[in-house]
Amino acid sequence: MNFDAYARTAIDLVNAGLDDLAGLRALFSSEQAYMRDQVTEKDLAPFRRAQRRLREVFEFGTSGQDAEAVRELNGLLEAYPVQPRISGHDASDWHMHVTSRGSSVSAEYLAGAVWGLSVWLCEYGSARFGICADERCGNVYLDTSSNNCRRFCSERCATRSHVAAHRARKRAAADLTPA
């Protein structure tokens, strides 16, 4: 199983716009097209609840509250249990799924997301959880840098923030210059 991929589904969920069914459907990648086609309005509520709780995990992790992050993840693991099963069509296509056959889209997606993020925490620690430093963003990310120094969710946010800081310094310097 690719636990990093499952952890990234947690990131995608926390950063998703779940205002309506279209926003929920946009969450699913091309590999998850079968989920996108099966999701219904009733799936919005569980996804929104999990989204809020997963954001709390990132908030706990980034503030050094590891025990709280673990407590919340354990609660999510209970709410969305992993029930692994082997699936496929022939000997060359066997792969693992995290839920039993016939599970709802929310149960399958959320079990994988929570499991992946839990494995990530055990492997790398919650210090590798991040919330974008760009005040206008707030997206979460997993810090995969070699020295745990990432501060932004993307290059775009990093550039936007650095340009804004540079312009602010230039304005401040101009304000101090005598006329």
Side-chain angles (χ1 to χ4, degrees), residues 28 34-35 38-40 42-43 46-47 80 83 98-111:
F28 302 103
Y34 68 96
M35 288 184 181
Q38 293 175 11
V39 76
T40 65
K42 71 177 181 175
D43 290 305
F47 273 92
Y80 306 104
Q83 300 171 333
V98 295
T99 56
S100 60
R101 188 172 202 72
S103 294
S104 68
V105 170
S106 58
E108 185 168 351
Y109 187 97
L110 298 173

Side-chain angles (χ1 to χ4, degrees), residues 12-76:
D12 294 342
L13 172 58
V14 175
N15 294 336
L18 299 180
D19 298 327
D20 54 20
L21 188 56
L24 178 56
R25 285 189 173 134
L27 172 66
F28 302 103
S29 68
S30 59
E31 293 88 30
Q32 299 165 323
Y34 68 96
M35 288 184 181
R36 181 177 46 240
D37 297 341
Q38 293 175 11
V39 76
T40 65
E41 288 283 339
K42 71 177 181 175
D43 290 305
L44 272 169
F47 273 92
R48 287 175 179 153
R49 279 191 303 275
Q51 182 184 49
R52 282 190 300 275
R53 291 181 71 185
L54 285 167
R55 177 165 284 283
E56 287 179 355
V57 170
F58 277 85
E59 291 169 357
F60 289 139
T62 57
S63 63
Q65 299 176 62
D66 288 359
E68 289 82 357
V70 168
R71 183 179 33 75
E72 188 61 35
L73 279 172
N74 278 332
L76 284 161

Side-chain angles (χ1 to χ4, degrees), residues 20 35 50 80 87 99 113 116 123 129 149-150 156 158 162 164 179:
D20 54 20
M35 288 184 181
Y80 306 104
S87 183
T99 56
E123 185 76 21
F129 293 177
C149 66
R150 187 170 168 188
R156 179 179 177 203
H162 292 128

Side-chain angles (χ1 to χ4, degrees), residues 93-163:
D93 185 33
W94 299 126
H95 58 279
M96 296 296 293
H97 280 266
V98 295
T99 56
S100 60
R101 188 172 202 72
S103 294
S104 68
V105 170
S106 58
E108 185 168 351
Y109 187 97
L110 298 173
V114 171
W115 178 254
L117 197 58
S118 298
V119 170
W120 181 275
L121 180 134
C122 291
E123 185 76 21
Y124 304 106
S126 68
R128 292 289 182 153
F129 293 177
I131 300 175
C132 189
D134 185 345
E135 295 170 359
R136 294 163 288 192
C137 179
N139 280 345
V140 300
Y141 61 88
L142 296 172
D143 187 349
T144 57
S145 66
S146 60
N147 57 357
N148 195 23
C149 66
R150 187 170 168 188
R151 294 181 41 234
F152 300 95
C153 69
S154 66
E155 286 297 319
R156 179 179 177 203
C157 282
T159 300
R160 182 174 51 211
S161 184
H162 292 128
V163 167

